[in-house]
Amino acid sequence: MSKMTVHVGGARDMGRRFAEAFGRASSGENFEERHITFLSLEEMMSALSPKRLELLRHLHREEATSIKALALALGRDYKRVHEDVATLESAGLVVREGGKLCAPWAALAAEVTL
């Protein structure tokens, strides 16, 4: 998994992407796409704060065995790191694999619908 596309706005666009992917899968096409949609720019900016981007970069370079280990590696407070991981995990940007936390995306590409 190398790229995650982050979309801002447009529930209609989210539905269109789903319908297109469903059609491609129904026709037997083998493909992999990763998308996350935020309903507003403010929501995206809140979820992807500078500290959270730092956390994502760290998890991309090096998996963490626990939130405590991640907080220590980042030199940050456990409670804040726990909150950040929960937010990023619920958005689909942090993944738990084999009991470890990771961010398998090499890039986040943002698309804003006007």
Side-chain angles (χ1 to χ4, degrees):
M1 293 181 236
S2 62
K3 181 175 127 181
M4 171 70 77
T5 304
V6 178
H7 301 271
V8 177
R12 184 179 312 153
D13 287 336
M14 183 172 52
R16 179 188 47 79
R17 284 191 305 278
F18 176 81
E20 287 173 3
F22 184 82
R24 290 169 67 188
S26 295
S27 70
E29 184 179 342
N30 187 13
F31 67 98
E32 185 174 322
E33 293 181 346
R34 302 284 182 201
H35 299 272
I36 294 173
T37 301
F38 292 99
L39 297 180
S40 69
L41 183 60
E42 294 78 18
E43 185 181 301
M44 182 192 80
M45 298 301 288
S46 174
L48 295 175
S49 69
K51 290 288 188 186
R52 289 180 180 156
L53 286 171
E54 175 188 14
L55 186 152
L56 284 172
R57 286 184 187 105
H58 180 84
L59 287 177
H60 177 71
R61 290 187 311 269
E62 184 178 329
E63 294 177 336
T65 57
S66 66
I67 293 175
K68 181 179 179 181
L70 179 59
L72 288 171
L74 294 171
R76 293 184 53 205
D77 177 69
Y78 172 87
K79 181 179 177 183
R80 298 290 177 237
V81 172
H82 186 277
E83 290 170 355
D84 289 348
V85 167
T87 297
L88 293 169
E89 191 173 19
S90 72
L93 293 168
V94 167
V95 178
R96 290 184 193 258
E97 293 180 345
K100 295 182 179 181
L101 298 166
C102 68
W105 334 110
L108 296 178
E111 181 178 296
V112 179
T113 301
L114 300 178

